[in-house]
mmCIF file of all heavy atoms in Angstrom:
data_model
loop_
_atom_site.group_PDB
_atom_site.id
_atom_site.type_symbol
_atom_site.label_atom_id
_atom_site.label_comp_id
_atom_site.label_asym_id
_atom_site.label_seq_id
_atom_site.Cartn_x
_atom_site.Cartn_y
_atom_site.Cartn_z
ATOM 1 N N THR A 273 -50.565 305.816 -13.753
ATOM 2 C CA THR A 273 -51.192 305.005 -12.702
ATOM 3 C C THR A 273 -50.414 303.706 -12.526
ATOM 4 O O THR A 273 -50.113 303.028 -13.508
ATOM 5 C CB THR A 273 -52.646 304.648 -13.082
ATOM 6 O OG1 THR A 273 -53.370 305.858 -13.276
ATOM 7 C CG2 THR A 273 -53.320 303.833 -11.978
ATOM 8 N N ILE A 274 -50.120 303.388 -11.294
ATOM 9 C CA ILE A 274 -49.406 302.133 -11.012
ATOM 10 C C ILE A 274 -50.227 301.323 -10.017
ATOM 11 O O ILE A 274 -50.497 301.771 -8.902
ATOM 12 C CB ILE A 274 -47.993 302.419 -10.458
ATOM 13 C CG1 ILE A 274 -47.179 303.211 -11.488
ATOM 14 C CG2 ILE A 274 -47.286 301.113 -10.097
ATOM 15 C CD1 ILE A 274 -45.841 303.707 -11.004
ATOM 16 N N ASP A 275 -50.635 300.157 -10.451
ATOM 17 C CA ASP A 275 -51.429 299.291 -9.581
ATOM 18 C C ASP A 275 -50.510 298.549 -8.599
ATOM 19 O O ASP A 275 -49.295 298.705 -8.629
ATOM 20 C CB ASP A 275 -52.267 298.325 -10.443
ATOM 21 C CG ASP A 275 -53.563 297.909 -9.739
ATOM 22 O OD1 ASP A 275 -53.609 297.957 -8.498
ATOM 23 O OD2 ASP A 275 -54.522 297.522 -10.440
ATOM 24 N N ILE A 276 -51.076 297.699 -7.781
ATOM 25 C CA ILE A 276 -50.327 297.125 -6.659
ATOM 26 C C ILE A 276 -49.257 296.104 -7.070
ATOM 27 O O ILE A 276 -49.337 295.486 -8.118
ATOM 28 C CB ILE A 276 -51.286 296.433 -5.666
ATOM 29 C CG1 ILE A 276 -52.041 295.305 -6.377
ATOM 30 C CG2 ILE A 276 -52.248 297.427 -5.058
ATOM 31 C CD1 ILE A 276 -52.696 294.339 -5.435
ATOM 32 N N ASN A 277 -48.266 295.993 -6.197
ATOM 33 C CA ASN A 277 -47.232 294.948 -6.278
ATOM 34 C C ASN A 277 -46.407 294.973 -7.552
ATOM 35 O O ASN A 277 -46.032 293.924 -8.070
ATOM 36 C CB ASN A 277 -47.858 293.556 -6.104
ATOM 37 C CG ASN A 277 -48.316 293.345 -4.676
ATOM 38 O OD1 ASN A 277 -47.906 294.081 -3.779
ATOM 39 N ND2 ASN A 277 -49.155 292.368 -4.458
ATOM 40 N N CYS A 278 -46.109 296.171 -8.049
ATOM 41 C CA CYS A 278 -45.209 296.267 -9.203
ATOM 42 C C CYS A 278 -43.779 296.487 -8.711
ATOM 43 O O CYS A 278 -43.559 297.100 -7.671
ATOM 44 C CB CYS A 278 -45.626 297.420 -10.112
ATOM 45 S SG CYS A 278 -47.198 297.084 -10.921
ATOM 46 N N ILE A 279 -42.819 295.981 -9.476
ATOM 47 C CA ILE A 279 -41.408 296.167 -9.153
ATOM 48 C C ILE A 279 -40.748 296.894 -10.328
ATOM 49 O O ILE A 279 -40.938 296.510 -11.486
ATOM 50 C CB ILE A 279 -40.700 294.813 -8.924
ATOM 51 C CG1 ILE A 279 -41.365 294.063 -7.768
ATOM 52 C CG2 ILE A 279 -39.212 295.021 -8.648
ATOM 53 C CD1 ILE A 279 -40.771 292.676 -7.516
ATOM 54 N N PHE A 280 -39.991 297.936 -10.014
ATOM 55 C CA PHE A 280 -39.268 298.693 -11.037
ATOM 56 C C PHE A 280 -37.783 298.595 -10.739
ATOM 57 O O PHE A 280 -37.363 298.890 -9.618
ATOM 58 C CB PHE A 280 -39.726 300.154 -11.037
ATOM 59 C CG PHE A 280 -41.191 300.292 -11.334
ATOM 60 C CD1 PHE A 280 -42.128 300.311 -10.310
ATOM 61 C CD2 PHE A 280 -41.632 300.346 -12.643
ATOM 62 C CE1 PHE A 280 -43.487 300.397 -10.583
ATOM 63 C CE2 PHE A 280 -42.987 300.436 -12.936
ATOM 64 C CZ PHE A 280 -43.918 300.462 -11.905
ATOM 65 N N GLU A 281 -37.008 298.175 -11.722
ATOM 66 C CA GLU A 281 -35.571 298.022 -11.496
ATOM 67 C C GLU A 281 -34.780 298.812 -12.528
ATOM 68 O O GLU A 281 -35.224 298.982 -13.662
ATOM 69 C CB GLU A 281 -35.178 296.546 -11.606
ATOM 70 C CG GLU A 281 -35.648 295.731 -10.412
ATOM 71 C CD GLU A 281 -35.161 294.277 -10.478
ATOM 72 O OE1 GLU A 281 -34.108 294.043 -11.089
ATOM 73 O OE2 GLU A 281 -35.843 293.415 -9.945
ATOM 74 N N GLY A 282 -33.579 299.228 -12.141
ATOM 75 C CA GLY A 282 -32.735 299.989 -13.059
ATOM 76 C C GLY A 282 -33.395 301.315 -13.374
ATOM 77 O O GLY A 282 -34.018 301.924 -12.512
ATOM 78 N N LEU A 283 -33.298 301.750 -14.628
ATOM 79 C CA LEU A 283 -33.925 303.012 -15.026
ATOM 80 C C LEU A 283 -35.214 302.711 -15.791
ATOM 81 O O LEU A 283 -35.177 302.123 -16.871
ATOM 82 C CB LEU A 283 -32.973 303.827 -15.907
ATOM 83 C CG LEU A 283 -33.555 305.087 -16.526
ATOM 84 C CD1 LEU A 283 -34.021 306.080 -15.456
ATOM 85 C CD2 LEU A 283 -32.544 305.760 -17.458
ATOM 86 N N VAL A 284 -36.328 303.136 -15.229
ATOM 87 C CA VAL A 284 -37.618 302.930 -15.890
ATOM 88 C C VAL A 284 -38.247 304.296 -16.146
ATOM 89 O O VAL A 284 -38.310 305.144 -15.255
ATOM 90 C CB VAL A 284 -38.558 302.046 -15.036
ATOM 91 C CG1 VAL A 284 -39.924 301.915 -15.693
ATOM 92 C CG2 VAL A 284 -37.938 300.670 -14.815
ATOM 93 N N GLN A 285 -38.687 304.515 -17.388
ATOM 94 C CA GLN A 285 -39.330 305.783 -17.738
ATOM 95 C C GLN A 285 -40.736 305.493 -18.259
ATOM 96 O O GLN A 285 -40.904 304.712 -19.199
ATOM 97 C CB GLN A 285 -38.514 306.500 -18.811
ATOM 98 C CG GLN A 285 -37.155 306.940 -18.292
ATOM 99 C CD GLN A 285 -36.229 307.309 -19.435
ATOM 100 O OE1 GLN A 285 -35.555 306.459 -19.983
ATOM 101 N NE2 GLN A 285 -36.227 308.582 -19.791
ATOM 102 N N LEU A 286 -41.723 306.118 -17.641
ATOM 103 C CA LEU A 286 -43.124 305.919 -18.043
ATOM 104 C C LEU A 286 -43.674 307.244 -18.558
ATOM 105 O O LEU A 286 -43.642 308.254 -17.862
ATOM 106 C CB LEU A 286 -43.945 305.437 -16.842
ATOM 107 C CG LEU A 286 -43.458 304.175 -16.112
ATOM 108 C CD1 LEU A 286 -44.357 303.862 -14.909
ATOM 109 C CD2 LEU A 286 -43.384 302.980 -17.055
ATOM 110 N N GLY A 287 -44.196 307.223 -19.783
ATOM 111 C CA GLY A 287 -44.731 308.443 -20.383
ATOM 112 C C GLY A 287 -46.094 308.833 -19.806
ATOM 113 O O GLY A 287 -46.668 308.104 -18.990
ATOM 114 N N ASP A 288 -46.625 309.950 -20.260
ATOM 115 C CA ASP A 288 -47.904 310.463 -19.773
ATOM 116 C C ASP A 288 -49.017 309.412 -19.936
ATOM 117 O O ASP A 288 -49.078 308.723 -20.946
ATOM 118 C CB ASP A 288 -48.319 311.712 -20.565
ATOM 119 C CG ASP A 288 -47.305 312.839 -20.415
ATOM 120 O OD1 ASP A 288 -46.438 312.757 -19.510
ATOM 121 O OD2 ASP A 288 -47.371 313.787 -21.218
ATOM 122 N N PHE A 289 -49.865 309.324 -18.948
ATOM 123 C CA PHE A 289 -51.061 308.459 -18.965
ATOM 124 C C PHE A 289 -50.770 306.962 -19.075
ATOM 125 O O PHE A 289 -51.667 306.187 -19.401
ATOM 126 C CB PHE A 289 -52.029 308.892 -20.081
ATOM 127 C CG PHE A 289 -52.500 310.313 -19.932
ATOM 128 C CD1 PHE A 289 -51.911 311.332 -20.665
ATOM 129 C CD2 PHE A 289 -53.500 310.626 -19.020
ATOM 130 C CE1 PHE A 289 -52.316 312.650 -20.500
ATOM 131 C CE2 PHE A 289 -53.910 311.944 -18.865
ATOM 132 C CZ PHE A 289 -53.322 312.959 -19.608
ATOM 133 N N VAL A 290 -49.562 306.569 -18.847
ATOM 134 C CA VAL A 290 -49.263 305.124 -18.862
ATOM 135 C C VAL A 290 -49.935 304.471 -17.654
ATOM 136 O O VAL A 290 -50.032 305.057 -16.573
ATOM 137 C CB VAL A 290 -47.737 304.879 -18.836
ATOM 138 C CG1 VAL A 290 -47.395 303.438 -18.442
ATOM 139 C CG2 VAL A 290 -47.138 305.212 -20.200
ATOM 140 N N ILE A 291 -50.437 303.263 -17.863
ATOM 141 C CA ILE A 291 -51.011 302.477 -16.760
ATOM 142 C C ILE A 291 -50.192 301.197 -16.629
ATOM 143 O O ILE A 291 -49.991 300.485 -17.617
ATOM 144 C CB ILE A 291 -52.488 302.115 -17.046
ATOM 145 C CG1 ILE A 291 -53.321 303.400 -17.160
ATOM 146 C CG2 ILE A 291 -53.046 301.191 -15.960
ATOM 147 C CD1 ILE A 291 -54.759 303.151 -17.600
ATOM 148 N N VAL A 292 -49.733 300.936 -15.435
ATOM 149 C CA VAL A 292 -49.014 299.684 -15.196
ATOM 150 C C VAL A 292 -49.895 298.811 -14.317
ATOM 151 O O VAL A 292 -50.222 299.174 -13.180
ATOM 152 C CB VAL A 292 -47.648 299.926 -14.527
ATOM 153 C CG1 VAL A 292 -46.900 298.607 -14.347
ATOM 154 C CG2 VAL A 292 -46.802 300.906 -15.343
ATOM 155 N N GLY A 293 -50.297 297.665 -14.856
ATOM 156 C CA GLY A 293 -51.201 296.767 -14.154
ATOM 157 C C GLY A 293 -50.517 296.049 -13.000
ATOM 158 O O GLY A 293 -49.280 295.992 -12.924
ATOM 159 N N ALA A 294 -51.337 295.488 -12.137
ATOM 160 C CA ALA A 294 -50.845 294.836 -10.918
ATOM 161 C C ALA A 294 -49.828 293.750 -11.237
ATOM 162 O O ALA A 294 -49.890 293.108 -12.280
ATOM 163 C CB ALA A 294 -52.033 294.229 -10.169
ATOM 164 N N HIS A 295 -48.881 293.570 -10.326
ATOM 165 C CA HIS A 295 -47.907 292.472 -10.367
ATOM 166 C C HIS A 295 -47.029 292.502 -11.609
ATOM 167 O O HIS A 295 -46.626 291.451 -12.103
ATOM 168 C CB HIS A 295 -48.608 291.113 -10.290
ATOM 169 C CG HIS A 295 -49.546 291.000 -9.131
ATOM 170 N ND1 HIS A 295 -49.124 290.722 -7.857
ATOM 171 C CD2 HIS A 295 -50.888 291.171 -9.050
ATOM 172 C CE1 HIS A 295 -50.162 290.708 -7.049
ATOM 173 N NE2 HIS A 295 -51.247 290.995 -7.741
ATOM 174 N N SER A 296 -46.734 293.667 -12.136
ATOM 175 C CA SER A 296 -45.847 293.735 -13.296
ATOM 176 C C SER A 296 -44.435 294.084 -12.830
ATOM 177 O O SER A 296 -44.251 294.747 -11.807
ATOM 178 C CB SER A 296 -46.344 294.780 -14.292
ATOM 179 O OG SER A 296 -47.565 294.340 -14.854
ATOM 180 N N ILE A 297 -43.445 293.620 -13.601
ATOM 181 C CA ILE A 297 -42.045 293.887 -13.268
ATOM 182 C C ILE A 297 -41.396 294.531 -14.486
ATOM 183 O O ILE A 297 -41.425 293.971 -15.579
ATOM 184 C CB ILE A 297 -41.312 292.579 -12.909
ATOM 185 C CG1 ILE A 297 -42.013 291.909 -11.719
ATOM 186 C CG2 ILE A 297 -39.844 292.852 -12.600
ATOM 187 C CD1 ILE A 297 -41.452 290.553 -11.356
ATOM 188 N N LEU A 298 -40.841 295.730 -14.306
ATOM 189 C CA LEU A 298 -40.208 296.442 -15.412
ATOM 190 C C LEU A 298 -38.773 296.766 -15.034
ATOM 191 O O LEU A 298 -38.520 297.344 -13.977
ATOM 192 C CB LEU A 298 -40.957 297.755 -15.718
ATOM 193 C CG LEU A 298 -42.213 297.661 -16.582
ATOM 194 C CD1 LEU A 298 -43.342 296.946 -15.877
ATOM 195 C CD2 LEU A 298 -42.668 299.055 -17.008
ATOM 196 N N LYS A 299 -37.847 296.363 -15.901
ATOM 197 C CA LYS A 299 -36.434 296.587 -15.608
ATOM 198 C C LYS A 299 -35.771 297.267 -16.797
ATOM 199 O O LYS A 299 -35.776 296.716 -17.897
ATOM 200 C CB LYS A 299 -35.781 295.224 -15.343
ATOM 201 C CG LYS A 299 -34.317 295.294 -15.045
ATOM 202 C CD LYS A 299 -33.803 293.917 -14.677
ATOM 203 C CE LYS A 299 -32.333 293.976 -14.363
ATOM 204 N NZ LYS A 299 -31.798 292.651 -14.029
ATOM 205 N N ASN A 300 -35.219 298.445 -16.596
ATOM 206 C CA ASN A 300 -34.577 299.212 -17.670
ATOM 207 C C ASN A 300 -35.473 299.285 -18.909
ATOM 208 O O ASN A 300 -35.131 298.789 -19.983
ATOM 209 C CB ASN A 300 -33.212 298.617 -18.031
ATOM 210 C CG ASN A 300 -32.228 298.760 -16.899
ATOM 211 O OD1 ASN A 300 -32.151 299.809 -16.250
ATOM 212 N ND2 ASN A 300 -31.478 297.716 -16.618
ATOM 213 N N VAL A 301 -36.607 299.923 -18.726
ATOM 214 C CA VAL A 301 -37.609 299.964 -19.784
ATOM 215 C C VAL A 301 -38.069 301.403 -19.991
ATOM 216 O O VAL A 301 -38.175 302.174 -19.042
ATOM 217 C CB VAL A 301 -38.835 299.109 -19.368
ATOM 218 C CG1 VAL A 301 -39.968 299.260 -20.356
ATOM 219 C CG2 VAL A 301 -38.456 297.647 -19.241
ATOM 220 N N LYS A 302 -38.342 301.728 -21.263
ATOM 221 C CA LYS A 302 -38.927 303.026 -21.572
ATOM 222 C C LYS A 302 -40.289 302.778 -22.196
ATOM 223 O O LYS A 302 -40.392 302.055 -23.193
ATOM 224 C CB LYS A 302 -38.013 303.757 -22.553
ATOM 225 C CG LYS A 302 -38.285 305.213 -22.677
ATOM 226 C CD LYS A 302 -37.174 305.881 -23.459
ATOM 227 C CE LYS A 302 -37.601 307.297 -23.805
ATOM 228 N NZ LYS A 302 -36.578 307.945 -24.619
#
Side-chain angles (χ1 to χ4, degrees):
T273 301
I274 299 173
D275 208 335
I276 60 164
N277 289 344
C278 292
I279 300 177
F280 299 91
E281 287 184 28
L283 173 61
V284 176
Q285 294 165 273
L286 305 178
D288 299 346
F289 301 99
V290 163
I291 298 173
V292 182
H295 308 280
S296 292
I297 301 175
L298 278 68
K299 179 175 180 181
N300 294 318
V301 173
K302 196 169 169 183

